Amino acid sequence: MTTEGRRIHPSGAMVLIVDDVPPLAEQYAYDIRRLGGFRTRAAHGGAEGLEILGREVVDCVILDLEMPGLDGFDVLRAMEHRSIDVPVIVYTGTGSFDRCVEAVRLGAFSFIDKAEPMERVVQEVRLALRQTDLRQRLGELERGAAESSPLIGESAAMIEVGAAIDRLADIPSAVLVLGESGTGKELVARELHRRSRRQGEAFVAVNCGGIAEGLVDSDLFGHDRGAFTGALKARRGAFERATSGTLFLDEIGELPGGVQARLLRVLEGGEIIRLGAEEPITVGARIVAATHRDLDAAAEAGDFREDLLHRINIHVIRVPPLRDRPRDIPLLAAHFASTLPARLGRSPRPVTEAALAELRARSWERNNVRELRNTIERMIIASDGPALDLPHLPQDLARPGPRAAASAASSAPPPPPADAPAPSYQEQKRAAERAIIVAALEANEWVISRTARSLGLSDHSSLIRIMNRLGVRRPGK
Ligand SMILES: Nc1ncnc2c1ncn2[C@@H]1O[C@H](COP(=O)(O)OP(=O)(O)OP(=O)(O)O)[C@@H](O)[C@H]1O
Ligand SMILES: [Mg+2]
């Protein structure tokens, strides 16, 4: 991939020229715009330059060292003091090399000579932008490294998910990733990015749930200084940070109503306007959204805009729950058993066949692959031996023993007569689930909240729902 001339900003980076001689500043601005395709601003002195830097998002500064009032050195020091992290290219009219070197010591990116051709200046700006961009990407890679494990699975369902990722990786339309909590939706989103031509660009994730409406708004769209009380500094939103990479909208089902309307306008218009700003910015990012919610139902209930739903659900990838692909459990368990120990300061050990059989028999209803990962982590901590084995399985994961299962059978439907057809998979699954629930209830003297806790359910109403679905009632009631 060629990165030469890569644009940091969908509609051109913003270059600020600070020079006390207005015609000079304007000339630089004009040439840089024309030759480099950048957006430009001119400031006619150090104070005005600093003021713009504090208020607007600027990607690169060209700074005259000799100015009356605040000179270039003062500006550099003030930038350092205020942690304004923007590359600065300095120049001096006196041709004094020493002064330029001093400026670089103060944090300037590089220096140019006023006599130099404009092409050279533009080249220098590109270099400065590229360095910022590389630094940002490195930071993103470092942050993403922990989550960049490959998507594991050999079940038919996961092979289909992999094929869908390949089919959709390079189209520009939005993709909606659906699945229960912990099934790997974010991993799928990252894979869509990794397998696309955008893989060298940014992957920016925004959690649309759990924060106040105003915050989601500026998180997504950014704001200018003073756009609202407390907006002391301009901030680039996720759309801008993603540039032409991938913008991952996690928990999109939780997006507040007002932001839904704004997001829809952005997706339709292909432009964003930062809060409090006027100039629109072209959106180049590819949208991947995820949710565990049923968005159709949410739209029907009036919680989610139907028109927004139609914008994002053109292509849907459904990540199946782990209980529907038990074939993946041994692979995932082995993967976690080999990758987690390094982080925990333990040595990797295999999972025994007996423990794997137990893990396969679990339903992982609550948190799917994340729950399996946490289970393996607990087994690694619990085991000192050469392998992760049955005794290391977390207690709250334990299956009902033979005694509990037998007593559970008493409230289960009677076994079919010997000549009846073998029960279907669904029937067996339901019977097994029923046995687990009844055994847990008996062990907890049918106290609903205690049983729910022992099963790791979020609250007693989840247990009541399951009991109703399976037709479980306290004997004699
Ligand atoms: N197929 C997989 N292969 C390897 N690791 C996986 C797989 N699926 C999920 N994981 C791991 O399980 C954990 C949960 O995955 P992820 O965060 O992608 O789930 P999610 O669906 O986004 O969950 P939530 O709905 O809670 O946000 C992560 O640590 C992820 O790396
Ligand atoms: Mg997630």
Side-chain angles (χ1 to χ4, degrees):
M1 190 192 74
T2 160
T3 42
E4 183 52 33
R6 178 174 174 270
R7 281 158 70 156
I8 195 167
H9 196 289
S11 47
M14 171 63 85
V15 181
L16 172 69
I17 296 105
V18 187
D19 194 312
D20 60 303
V21 185
L24 254 174
E26 303 303 343
Q27 185 64 43
Y28 258 85
Y30 174 81
D31 285 342
I32 286 172
R33 214 160 43 231
R34 189 175 51 88
L35 286 172
F38 302 117
R39 296 178 301 145
T40 52
R41 286 280 261 134
H44 305 138
E48 189 188 344
L50 277 177
E51 201 243 321
I52 292 174
L53 278 167
R55 198 183 55 219
E56 293 175 25
V57 175
V58 170
D59 300 294
C60 182
V61 181
I62 295 182
L63 177 66
D64 185 7
L65 283 179
E66 278 89 33
M67 293 183 291
L70 285 188
D71 70 4
F73 293 101
D74 297 328
V75 172
L76 280 170
R77 274 189 287 266
M79 284 178 73
E80 165 82 33
H81 186 68
R82 299 181 199 174
S83 308
I84 300 176
D85 191 13
V86 177
V88 179
I89 299 163
V90 297
Y91 60 68
T92 150
T94 63
S96 159
F97 185 71
D98 287 352
R99 287 172 66 74
C100 288
V101 171
E102 196 189 331
V104 170
R105 277 210 198 97
L106 276 174
F109 171 75
S110 63
F111 55 87
I112 47 176
D113 196 294
K114 258 188 190 168
E116 256 168 315
M118 258 347 255
E119 283 78 5
R120 259 279 298 138
V121 179
V122 167
Q123 196 186 7
E124 207 59 32
V125 172
R126 287 214 175 100
L127 270 178
L129 291 174
R130 190 160 144 63
Q131 178 184 276
T132 312
D133 184 43
L134 284 175
R135 249 179 35 207
Q136 272 172 5
R137 275 203 268 161
L138 188 63
E140 269 146 23
L141 280 176
E142 279 168 353
R143 279 192 295 280
E147 291 297 330
S148 67
S149 56
L151 197 61
I152 286 174
E154 55 171 19
S155 60
M158 283 312 282
I159 288 170
E160 176 45 41
V161 167
I165 293 173
D166 285 333
R167 276 196 306 274
L168 298 174
D170 268 324
I171 59 159
S173 331
V175 175
L176 179 62
V177 186
L178 297 176
E180 288 176 15
S181 172
T183 45
K185 297 184 293 296
E186 175 155 359
L187 214 55
V188 166
R190 288 185 185 276
E191 274 299 290
L192 271 166
H193 179 74
R194 208 175 60 84
R195 297 190 200 175
S196 77
R197 279 191 289 270
R198 300 169 189 263
Q199 49 112 350
E201 317 275 322
F203 177 96
V204 175
V206 175
N207 190 333
C208 303
I211 23 179
E213 172 155 347
L215 282 181
V216 183
D217 221 42
S218 70
D219 216 19
L220 282 173
F221 310 112
H223 59 75
D224 265 7
R225 193 169 102 136
F228 50 85
T229 329
L232 297 178
K233 232 186 146 288
R235 176 174 181 216
R236 199 175 259 165
F239 271 100
E240 273 181 86
R241 280 182 282 127
T243 59
S244 45
T246 300
L247 176 56
F248 175 47
L249 301 175
D250 203 3
E251 310 294 355
I252 190 143
E254 317 301 319
L255 200 66
V259 192
Q260 288 180 27
R262 200 141 176 233
L263 177 62
L264 179 68
R265 278 200 300 280
V266 168
L267 297 183
E268 280 175 342
E271 283 183 345
I272 55 157
I273 299 179
R274 219 185 275 146
L275 228 62
E278 274 163 21
E279 201 184 342
I281 294 162
T282 310
V283 168
R286 196 273 175 96
I287 308 292
V288 178
T291 181
H292 64 274
R293 281 184 74 180
D294 179 346
L295 285 186
D296 289 317
E300 210 146 286
D303 291 339
F304 200 84
R305 291 184 69 114
E306 189 123 17
D307 40 12
L308 179 58
L309 179 59
H310 292 316
R311 275 258 153 204
I312 58 168
N313 75 354
I314 311 163
H315 304 285
V316 176
I317 297 181
R318 280 172 215 281
V319 190
L322 192 53
R323 64 183 167 283
D324 290 353
R325 45 180 167 114
R327 190 175 164 180
D328 291 339
I329 292 174
L331 266 188
L332 283 164
H335 166 69
F336 294 131
S338 70
T339 54
L340 293 179
R343 199 167 53 80
L344 302 169
R346 301 288 179 106
S347 53
R349 279 149 304 159
V351 187
T352 63
E353 285 298 325
L356 279 180
E358 276 299 309
L359 292 173
R360 275 190 70 135
R362 307 266 62 96
S363 64
W364 309 104
E365 298 261 348
R366 196 159 37 125
N367 247 315
N368 291 281
V369 183
R370 180 177 299 114
E371 195 182 349
L372 175 60
R373 190 197 62 190
N374 294 348
T375 300
I376 300 291
E377 176 162 338
R378 288 165 73 180
M379 291 175 78
I380 293 168
I381 298 298
S383 156
D384 293 322
L388 309 182
D389 206 352
L390 287 175
H392 310 125
L393 282 166
Q395 281 303 305
D396 51 9
L397 201 78
R399 275 223 289 186
R403 220 177 54 82
S407 69
S410 62
S411 51
D419 58 351
S424 72
Y425 166 69
Q426 287 302 335
E427 283 161 353
Q428 291 184 53
K429 192 172 122 187
R430 191 177 153 92
E433 203 180 344
R434 209 167 184 284
I436 293 167
I437 297 290
V438 172
L441 282 163
E442 293 202 322
N444 289 289
E445 289 138 4
W446 289 81
V447 178
I448 302 286
S449 55
R450 187 139 51 96
T451 312
R453 255 199 316 279
S454 81
L455 287 166
L457 296 168
S458 53
D459 54 22
H460 74 288
S461 61
S462 320
L463 178 57
I464 290 173
R465 264 201 306 279
I466 295 171
M467 288 170 66
N468 287 340
R469 175 164 57 79
L470 299 171
V472 175
R473 252 180 313 262
R474 183 176 184 161
K477 291 250 162 149

